Amino acid sequence: MKPVRRHLITAALLLALALLFIVLGLAQGDALDTLRKAALICFECIGIG
Amino acid sequence: MSAMSQIYGWYRRSKRRVIQLLAALLYNLNLPGFANASIYQGPTKAICAPGLNCYSCPGAIGACPIGSLQAALGAADRKLPFYLVGTILAFGALLGRTVCGWLCPFGLIQELLDKLPLPKLRKGAWSRALSRGKYVVLGLTVIAIPLGLALFATSSLPFFCAWLCPAGTLEAGLPLLAGNEGLRAIVGWQFVVKLAVLILFVIACLFVYRPFCRFLCPLGALYSFFNRVALLRYRVDESRCTHCKTCVEVCKMDITEVSDRECVQCGACARHCEQQAIAFTLTGLFKNEKSAHDERKSPRRA
C-alpha cells in the first residue's frame, strides 16, 4: 500500500477512535468534570497550591 | 501596487504569525478578566483548547488539555479520561504538531522572544539529546505522579502544573496576583520556585529557539506521536526531492526530516526548498510522498 494511502487510513482510524472516546467521555460526564476544574482558579497552576 | 494587493502580500508573508495571534486571542477572549483579576466560568471551559493555554489565565475561555488530563488522572472517582484522551487524539490526528507551530500561544511568546537580536545557540547533538526530555516530563509529571498519588496516596497533585509549567505562571499567576490582593496574601515559596522556572525560560528563549517546546512541553510530546500521520502537515514530493538536506539545515527545531516528531510545521523548510518539493497540505496530494518509515524498509532509497 502507498504511504499516502496508509497515512490517510491511519489518520481516519485515529479520528474515528477519537470520536468514540469523546462520545464515551461525554456519556460518563467527563466534560462536566473538565468544566468544574477549569471554572475555578487552579492554585497549583499559579503556584500557591 | 494597490493597497489590497499590498495587504494580501503582507498576509502571505505573515500568515503563520497572524494565525498564531488570532489563536491566542481566540483562546483568551475574556479580556475583562485581566482588568478584574478573575477567571471566566462559562460553559466553553468544558472544551479543551488545542494549545498550551492555562485555564486559570483571566482571559481563557477554554480548558488546558494538560491541566485537565492531570486533574482527570488524579481524580478520586478513577474513571478512564475518555473525553480528554479523545480530544487530544482528535487534535493529534487532524493537526499533529501543527498545533505547536500555528496554534499555541506559549509557542508564539517563545518565537517573539527569539526575535530579539542576541547571539543564538545553534542546534546540535546537545539539543537533540535534550529534546527527549519532553517525553520524560510527560510520562513522569503529567501521568505517573498524578496517577500514582491518586492510586496510592490520599490526594493527588498535578505535578507539572504545580512545579514546572511556566505558561501557568506567566498567563495565570502573574495577572491574577497583580490584581488580587487576597491571592497575594497567600503566596508562598512554591510561587517563588515557579517564578524562577519562568525567569529561567525567558532567559533561555533569548538564546535558544523555543526551548520549552523542544525540551519540556508534554503537550508537544503527545502531539509528536501523530506528526507522521496527521492530516494537515508538510509533505515532501519524492519526485522533486534531491535529498540536499537544506530542509533539515534551515530548520531551527531538532528535525532529522520534514514532519518527523520534532517538526512544528513552521514552514521554514518549504520556503528554502529550491525544488519546491515541500508543501503544506490537508491530505497527501503528492503521488510520491517521502516517508522515513518506507526509507528504513527499503534502504535503496536512502
Side-chain angles (χ1 to χ4, degrees), chain A residues 15-48:
Chain A
L15 276 174
L17 191 65
L19 192 66
L20 175 70
F21 279 6
I22 290 171
V23 171
L24 281 173
L26 289 173
Q28 67 174 7
D30 287 4
L32 197 60
D33 295 340
T34 303
L35 176 62
R36 280 197 200 107
K37 172 68 183 163
L40 298 172
I41 290 178
C42 166
F43 287 128
E44 293 91 353
C45 301
I46 61 175
I48 52 178

Side-chain angles (χ1 to χ4, degrees), chain B residues 86-131:
Chain B
T87 303
I88 291 168
L89 205 56
F91 287 138
L94 278 173
L95 303 165
R97 289 196 80 182
T98 300
V99 172
C100 307
W102 295 68
L103 301 174
C104 181
F106 203 61
L108 170 65
I109 291 166
Q110 291 174 83
E111 283 189 9
L112 294 178
L113 286 169
D114 183 66
K115 292 278 176 199
L116 292 171
L118 288 164
K120 308 293 175 190
L121 275 173
R122 287 180 61 84
K123 67 179 181 180
W126 69 274
S127 57
R128 278 195 294 279
L130 284 178
S131 68

Side-chain angles (χ1 to χ4, degrees), chain A residues 3 6-19 21, chain B residues 50 65-66 69 82 84-100 134-135 138 143 218-235 257-265 280-282 289:
Chain A
R6 192 172 56 233
H7 289 168
L8 275 175
I9 291 170
T10 310
L13 286 174
L14 285 171
L15 276 174
L17 191 65
L19 192 66
F21 279 6
Chain B
I66 289 295
L69 185 62
F82 283 119
L84 291 162
V85 173
T87 303
I88 291 168
L89 205 56
F91 287 138
L94 278 173
L95 303 165
R97 289 196 80 182
T98 300
V99 172
C100 307
K134 58 183 171 290
Y135 300 102
L138 170 67
I143 299 172
L219 192 57
L222 278 171
Y223 290 144
S224 75
F225 295 122
F226 302 97
N227 230 14
R228 285 204 173 113
V229 293
L231 287 178
L232 187 68
R233 64 189 161 92
Y234 278 93
R235 290 174 161 87
E257 66 170 23
V258 174
S259 286
D260 70 3
R261 284 197 308 216
E262 298 302 320
C263 174
V264 292
Q265 313 288 334
F280 197 46
T281 60
L282 184 61
E289 184 188 348

Side-chain angles (χ1 to χ4, degrees), chain B:
Chain B
M1 192 188 287
S2 71
M4 277 308 289
S5 62
Q6 276 183 334
I7 291 169
Y8 181 68
W10 172 83
Y11 171 74
R12 281 200 64 172
R13 286 191 305 276
S14 319
K15 187 167 56 180
R16 190 169 71 90
R17 190 71 77 232
V18 170
I19 292 173
Q20 282 178 306
L21 285 166
L22 286 176
L25 181 67
L26 187 66
Y27 296 165
N28 295 291
L29 275 178
N30 183 42
L31 297 177
F34 289 101
N36 309 330
S38 62
I39 67 166
Y40 177 73
Q41 296 182 310
T44 54
K45 275 276 179 88
I47 301 165
C48 285
L52 195 76
N53 191 67
C54 185
Y55 44 29
S56 285
C57 173
I61 59 162
C64 167
I66 289 295
S68 303
L69 185 62
Q70 286 172 97
L73 290 172
D77 56 16
R78 293 181 190 173
K79 287 188 293 191
L80 288 170
F82 283 119
Y83 174 68
L84 291 162
V85 173
T87 303
I88 291 168
L89 205 56
F91 287 138
L94 278 173
L95 303 165
R97 289 196 80 182
T98 300
V99 172
C100 307
W102 295 68
L103 301 174
C104 181
F106 203 61
L108 170 65
I109 291 166
Q110 291 174 83
E111 283 189 9
L112 294 178
L113 286 169
D114 183 66
K115 292 278 176 199
L116 292 171
L118 288 164
K120 308 293 175 190
L121 275 173
R122 287 180 61 84
K123 67 179 181 180
W126 69 274
S127 57
R128 278 195 294 279
L130 284 178
S131 68
R132 294 180 194 126
K134 58 183 171 290
Y135 300 102
V136 178
V137 171
L138 170 67
L140 209 62
T141 69
V142 175
I143 299 172
I145 295 178
L147 188 62
L149 287 174
L151 291 174
F152 304 111
T154 50
S155 67
S156 187
L157 172 76
F159 192 91
F160 175 75
C161 293
W163 293 103
L164 272 182
C165 183
T169 317
L170 180 70
E171 296 166 1
L174 293 177
L176 285 177
L177 290 176
N180 191 320
E181 205 174 316
L183 289 175
R184 277 202 302 276
I186 53 172
V187 157
W189 59 280
Q190 187 185 349
F191 179 75
V192 177
V193 173
K194 283 204 71 176
L195 192 61
V197 171
L198 173 64
I199 291 168
L200 271 176
F201 259 97
V202 170
I203 294 168
C205 287
L206 300 175
F207 304 102
V208 182
Y209 182 69
R210 295 182 78 140
F212 181 75
C213 309
R214 287 161 74 185
F215 310 139
L216 277 186
C217 182
L219 192 57
L222 278 171
Y223 290 144
S224 75
F225 295 122
F226 302 97
N227 230 14
R228 285 204 173 113
V229 293
L231 287 178
L232 187 68
R233 64 189 161 92
Y234 278 93
R235 290 174 161 87
V236 179
D237 184 347
E238 180 72 353
S239 64
R240 288 185 172 191
C241 178
T242 57
H243 303 277
C244 65
K245 292 285 178 191
T246 303
C247 48
V248 175
E249 284 161 22
V250 297
C251 180
K252 291 181 175 180
M253 301 294 284
D254 299 289
I255 66 164
T256 52
E257 66 170 23
V258 174
S259 286
D260 70 3
R261 284 197 308 216
E262 298 302 320
C263 174
V264 292
Q265 313 288 334
C266 70
C269 52
R271 284 194 302 277
H272 286 84
C273 181
E274 288 181 1
Q275 309 302 320
Q276 295 184 320
I278 306 169
F280 197 46
T281 60
L282 184 61
T283 54
L285 295 179
F286 299 134
K287 286 178 183 169
N288 303 304
E289 184 188 348
K290 185 182 166 189
S291 156
H293 178 71
D294 295 308
E295 285 193 354
R296 278 195 294 274
K297 279 172 72 178
S298 52
R300 250 175 335 107
R301 294 173 62 194

